Amino acid sequence: MDDRLGAVYDELVRRNPGETEFHQAAHEVLSSLGPVLDRNPQYVDAEVIRRLCEPERQIIFRVPWVDDAGVVQINRGFRVEFNSALGPFKGGLRFHPSVYLGIVKFLGFEQTFKNSLTGLPIGGGKGGSDFDPKGRSDGEIMRFCQSFMTELYRHIGEYTDVPAGDIGVGGREIGFLFGQYKRITNRYESGVLTGKGVTWGGSLVRPEATGYGVVFFVDELLRSRGESLDGRKVVVSGSGNVATYAIEKVHQLGGTVLACSDSGGYVVDDAGIDLELLKDVKEARRARISEYADARPEARYVAGGSIWDVPCDVALPCATQNEIGEREARAIVSNGCAVVAEGANMPCTPDAVRVLVDAKVTFAPGKAANAGGVATSALEMQQNASRDSWSFEHAEQRLEEIMRGIHDRCLETADEYGSPGDYVLGANVAGFTRVADAMLALGVI
Ligand code: GLU
């Protein structure tokens, strides 16, 4: 890393002790920016990078609630409002026991560049809680969401900060959060949250958008080389919202998804994952993926183990951060995989990315490849602002154009900076430049 950036990184590590995921995400972006500073001394003079590394505002709060047994539970809530140079803070809420400030900051930092890459008017933020929704009743989820929003409502708004879903937060949770916001503020302010149900202000295609978007990105990547997804074998880790709709789109474009997973293990189905069954197990029953194999004798379930031992042409990690380390990356390489595209946020460790890139596997980073979810959130905000609702076809077409556009912007930027085909450089530089220029224009704030 360039000395000027190394100094900023060292300062960030010193001022944010123990926040290893945040350090990792910052290191990844700063490592690409040396050539940008050489060409743009104005960014150095205005301390744009040091400002970008410090969130505009960080909110941490108590979330007390009562469980079904009458026991008082206390969780911690977070909202990190990272950067609003391009628009209101925008990014999801994650409910997962692993959530702490370092994870929320890494996600908010990534979100800033991702949202910039979409070309839409959205800043970056992220939030969540260490609440574990697993095994909780609908009543418990509702009471938790109501308590969470009772504090969060004062910090958000359609022109200020617009949360949405992430791991552990889907349509059900957004409903409870929106209901409580509406009740407290006495305002039907649709644009304050995205990921809403279609009958109360949501956008068609929002649930599908992240997964579809990753696959549109990969399709464009393959097209740029005269290839396609048709007949390709694909492995998708995870079985949540992103994974489910990535699988759907791969199948629509002629590929076959052989395997998917949850935190307990993975299933392999050589005939291609049966999407209806997967949705029934994971969405309707909220059950473990092992039940997929119970219902389908031709599939096999592997408890524990690594899904990346299953050979494929295209790997789509859609579970969570750091799921592919050096060992998993070596397995992906030795199985002859050609493309790895991140559906989750930062699923590949820096060592894994090095192994993939050294072996000439094309690597598409999440801030570019998984931007379809937040892009469609911005389309939901557009519909809310105009009190309109678009058809599925129209929303999907907009998503597809945005993803193909992000792909092309990454490739063009990589070319411009003398590193053809380097999607990491392309995404980091193109994402950074748009935010940096807006920050310069808005003065020292
Ligand atoms: N959580 C998603 C992401 O990682 C989407 C956020 C949003 O729609 O605001 O980009």
Side-chain angles (χ1 to χ4, degrees):
M1 193 190 295
D2 174 295
D3 279 355
R4 294 162 298 188
L5 291 153
V8 177
Y9 178 71
D10 291 344
E11 183 186 1
L12 179 145
V13 171
R14 187 173 53 73
R15 299 182 74 212
N16 301 277
E19 297 175 4
T20 49
E21 295 83 358
F22 179 37
H23 305 166
Q24 182 183 334
H27 193 276
E28 194 264 350
V29 172
L30 297 188
S31 299
S32 296
L33 299 182
V36 188
L37 296 189
D38 294 340
R39 293 189 191 188
N40 298 279
Q42 69 276 22
Y43 297 152
V44 181
D45 298 341
E47 292 287 8
V48 168
I49 302 206
R50 278 177 63 209
R51 280 196 274 151
L52 255 169
C53 289
E54 182 68 16
E56 288 183 33
R57 190 178 295 119
Q58 306 181 51
I59 302 145
I60 304 181
F61 51 98
R62 178 169 68 201
V63 189
W65 57 284
V66 181
D67 72 15
D68 286 347
V71 177
V72 174
Q73 301 282 343
I74 309 292
N75 287 101
R76 187 171 289 173
F78 301 89
R79 187 73 185 165
V80 172
E81 298 181 333
F82 229 102
N83 194 294
S84 62
L86 291 173
F89 304 105
K90 182 82 197 85
L93 299 169
R94 176 177 293 191
F95 292 169
H96 191 270
S98 64
V99 168
Y100 77 107
L101 192 56
I103 286 200
V104 183
K105 274 196 210 162
F106 120 63
L107 290 165
F109 184 79
E110 281 278 297
Q111 198 83 46
T112 301
F113 303 100
K114 181 195 308 194
N115 294 4
S116 165
L117 272 175
T118 67
L120 298 164
I122 40 178
K126 205 85 184 193
S129 174
D130 57 1
F131 171 69
D132 187 358
K134 209 177 283 172
R136 291 293 180 189
S137 69
D138 285 353
E140 291 178 314
I141 300 281
M142 181 180 76
R143 291 194 295 280
F144 174 80
C145 288
Q146 290 177 339
S147 178
F148 187 86
M149 184 54 84
T150 300
E151 172 61 31
L152 187 68
Y153 88 95
R154 69 188 79 247
H155 306 290
I156 62 177
E158 67 174 312
Y159 295 108
T160 314
D161 183 354
V162 182
D166 194 80
I167 293 172
V169 178
R172 172 181 61 168
E173 291 73 19
I174 294 294
F176 295 144
L177 292 164
F178 184 69
Q180 184 73 351
Y181 182 86
K182 185 176 82 62
R183 185 183 191 195
I184 296 173
T185 59
N186 194 32
R187 283 167 61 87
Y188 205 106
E189 189 185 327
S190 302
V192 70
L193 289 168
T194 60
K196 301 181 293 295
V198 278
T199 55
W200 42 278
S203 175
L204 287 167
V205 188
R206 178 62 191 87
E208 293 85 353
T210 312
Y212 278 19
V214 181
V215 180
F216 284 138
F217 189 98
V218 170
D219 185 57
E220 189 62 25
L221 184 157
L222 293 171
R223 273 198 210 186
S224 71
R225 307 169 171 182
E227 299 168 17
S228 83
L229 265 169
D230 197 32
R232 300 283 185 141
K233 292 184 165 52
V234 182
V235 167
V236 176
S237 65
S239 49
N241 172 265
V242 181
T244 301
Y245 292 102
I247 295 170
E248 185 162 284
K249 189 50 79 181
V250 168
H251 286 169
Q252 285 172 10
L253 296 183
T256 304
V257 177
L258 301 177
C260 65
S261 62
D262 67 12
S263 56
Y266 63 94
V267 287
V268 183
D269 190 337
D270 292 324
I273 295 290
D274 177 334
L275 202 70
E276 288 320 304
L277 177 57
L278 181 70
K279 284 184 185 173
D280 181 53
V281 170
K282 298 304 294 189
E283 283 178 10
R285 290 193 250 157
R286 295 184 191 272
R288 308 303 298 164
I289 197 125
S290 52
E291 292 191 19
Y292 177 98
D294 295 343
R296 207 164 140 92
E298 59 269 50
R300 67 191 163 89
Y301 175 66
V302 181
S306 166
I307 191 174
W308 305 113
D309 292 335
V310 180
C312 62
D313 304 313
V314 175
L316 304 178
C318 297
T320 195
Q321 68 271 356
N322 294 331
E323 58 173 294
I324 299 184
E326 194 173 337
R327 195 203 78 79
E328 291 78 12
R330 287 197 193 288
I332 288 171
V333 169
S334 65
N335 284 327
C337 175
V339 177
V340 175
E342 295 185 320
N345 290 312
M346 207 170 73
C348 297
T349 67
D351 288 342
V353 176
R354 209 167 304 123
V355 168
L356 297 173
V357 170
D358 286 351
K360 307 257 179 299
V361 174
T362 302
F363 173 70
K367 66 173 77 63
N370 75 32
V374 76
T376 308
S377 279
L379 302 182
E380 181 172 333
M381 291 161 73
Q382 263 183 53
Q383 291 167 75
N384 293 152
S386 57
R387 300 190 185 279
D388 197 2
S389 48
W390 302 347
S391 68
F392 191 94
E393 291 70 26
H394 181 61
E396 188 183 21
Q397 188 197 334
R398 289 290 309 272
L399 166 66
E400 183 171 348
E401 287 163 7
I402 291 167
M403 293 314 297
R404 296 192 190 279
I406 294 173
H407 171 273
D408 294 350
R409 211 165 305 133
C410 291
L411 263 198
E412 284 157 18
T413 309
D415 277 346
E416 195 186 318
Y417 277 80
S419 229
D422 183 344
Y423 287 93
V424 170
L425 182 89
N428 285 339
V429 172
F432 166 77
T433 307
R434 187 162 172 259
V435 190
D437 288 340
M439 289 175 73
L440 280 184
L442 300 185
V444 178
I445 51 169

